């Protein structure tokens, strides 16, 4: 009886966190806040569901079930990396956030934020071409 209650609580917690993460993905106003919901809430939700699965299959079979541990490790490693890459791609594409930018440090930063032109290259050295001239 205690096992069923534990599994039920873990599944409900996982379902609620997954739903909140999915709702945040659909309802948040800009890209950066939309990215926050699935990376935090859904990771906790899926982790709770995987713990419930591990407990269930460990009590049903002979021995511990570690498949879910590997899935959890994979999820906890790949979710932050993918969120970081998505946000970095959004920064490179200059997708604007609805929140206020942080205070400026100097005039160079002010010009970079207010102009639509790409920032100047930090290095005056020419870039190598993929197709060198013949």
């Amino acid at each position: 009886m205690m096992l069923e209650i534990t599994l039920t609580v873990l599944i409900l917690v996982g379902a609620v966190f997954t739903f909140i993460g999915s709702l945040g993905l659909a309802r948040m106003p800009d890209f950066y806040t939309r990215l926050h919901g699935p990376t935090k809430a859904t990771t906790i939700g899926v982790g709770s569901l995987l713990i419930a699965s591990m407990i269930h299959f460990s009590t049903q079979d002979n021995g511990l079930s570690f498949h879910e541990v590997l899935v959890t490790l994979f999820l906890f490693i790949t979710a932050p990396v993918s969120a970081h890459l998505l946000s970095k791609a959004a920064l490179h594409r200059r997708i604007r956030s609805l929140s206020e930018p942080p205070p400026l440090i100097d005039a160079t930063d002010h010009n970079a934020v207010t102009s639509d032109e790409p920032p100047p290259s930090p290095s005056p050295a020419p870039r190598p071409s993929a197709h060198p001239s013949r």
Side-chain angles (χ1 to χ4, degrees):
M1 181 68 180
M2 188 65 183
L3 178 66
E4 286 87 11
I5 292 173
T6 303
L7 292 176
T8 302
V9 168
L10 284 171
I11 289 172
L12 285 176
V13 167
V16 166
F17 272 101
T18 303
F19 177 71
I20 290 172
S22 302
L23 192 65
L25 180 66
R27 300 287 299 173
M28 291 294 180
D30 66 346
F31 176 78
Y32 299 103
T33 53
R34 274 188 215 136
L35 191 62
H36 196 67
T39 56
K40 302 297 182 280
T42 306
T43 301
I44 294 172
V46 171
S48 179
L49 291 172
L50 288 172
I51 290 171
S53 174
M54 187 173 73
I55 291 172
H56 174 72
F57 286 112
S58 293
T59 56
Q60 298 295 320
D61 296 337
N62 299 333
L64 295 174
S65 174
F66 286 108
H67 299 101
E68 291 83 2
V69 173
L70 294 175
V71 173
T72 303
L73 284 175
F74 179 75
L75 180 71
F76 284 178
I77 291 170
T78 58
V81 171
S82 63
H84 176 75
L85 291 177
L86 284 171
S87 62
K88 194 168 183 173
L91 284 174
H92 282 288
R93 293 195 55 149
R94 297 183 180 263
I95 295 175
R96 296 201 183 265
S97 175
L98 294 178
S99 64
E100 292 291 323
L104 299 175
I105 296 174
D106 60 9
T108 306
D109 289 340
H110 179 71
N111 291 338
V113 171
T114 57
S115 70
D116 289 334
E117 297 176 12
S121 176
S123 169
R127 293 183 172 179
S129 173
H131 303 286
S133 60
R134 295 177 194 157

